[in-house]
Amino acid sequence: MRNTTLTPMRWLFAFMMLVLILPLQAHAQTQSPEAMVRENVNALMGEIEGKREYYANHMGELEALVDTSLEGVADFRYIGASVMGSYFRNATPEQRSRFANVFRQTLIDTYARGLVTFDYRELRVLNNQRGQRYEDQASVDMEVVANNGQVYPVSYSLRLSDGEWRVVNVIVNGINLGLTFRNQFDQAMRENNRDYDAVIRGWAPEIGVDELEQGGDA
């Protein structure tokens, strides 16, 4: 049975992953990536404020809410291909699709708990954002302030797809989660003699607590 206990740092990770999957529906022509993330952070606060205890006791409803929010927001085929890395080329179409679905489900099952558990003081999208190097790529920086005063920097990577900005990666406290998942997939493939089906069946991404607390330099 998969361990679903979340430490405080995993709650932070869970929390930021759930901000990632909020509905980012606005068209690029009418809303900037920064405005979109800011709007969706505020929407998250409005949805959860005063309802944590209810959702904690009705996890099925929260998971359904998260699942619905995923529909128009994340291209899990794109994300799945990125996580599979060089192994994507030799995977069958069925394996690619199955991994994308499994990846999505692990986020729903594991990280929905973080939405009602992590204690924070403030979420703030920074006013001074980095400029875009490419028209179809952008980054949005924000900070999470925990109740103990610890500040965790968060950076979202977005790409323009079919006229809409979509989040495709997140860096928490300097830890590149997309790269971390890719390394974990590579390790799992090596340990399972490149058995795609075994790796997909056992997929359970982990982010080390010490790693997140110490941060990185992504």
Side-chain angles (χ1 to χ4, degrees), residues 26-147:
H27 287 281
Q29 291 85 350
T30 59
Q31 194 173 33
S32 69
E34 176 188 348
M36 205 162 46
V37 170
R38 191 184 302 275
E39 177 181 301
N40 282 273
V41 167
N42 292 336
L44 173 63
M45 298 301 95
E47 178 63 33
I48 300 302
E49 191 67 31
K51 302 177 183 177
R52 288 191 180 196
E53 184 175 351
Y54 174 83
Y55 280 128
N57 294 314
H58 299 81
M59 288 301 299
E61 291 186 27
L62 180 57
E63 290 176 1
L65 174 64
V66 172
D67 192 21
T68 299
S69 297
L70 284 171
E71 283 300 325
V73 109
D75 185 348
F76 275 90
R77 291 186 179 276
Y78 178 91
I79 297 173
S82 178
V83 171
M84 293 178 82
S86 61
Y87 297 103
F88 180 82
R89 185 182 306 108
N90 293 325
T92 67
E94 188 274 338
Q95 287 169 332
R96 296 171 181 175
S97 178
R98 183 151 45 91
F99 178 69
N101 291 333
V102 168
F103 187 90
R104 168 178 174 157
Q105 195 61 48
T106 58
L107 292 184
I108 295 171
D109 291 344
T110 305
Y111 300 120
R113 293 173 177 81
L115 193 57
V116 293
T117 312
F118 180 68
D119 291 324
Y120 59 90
R121 180 188 303 171
E122 182 184 2
L123 298 180
R124 55 195 182 206
V125 178
L126 302 185
N127 290 324
N128 296 322
Q129 296 289 331
R130 291 171 286 170
Q132 293 179 221
R133 292 185 60 187
Y134 306 101
E135 292 184 357
D136 61 346
Q137 298 177 31
S139 297
V140 176
D141 299 324
M142 63 176 295
E143 294 176 337
V144 179
V145 184
N147 280 339

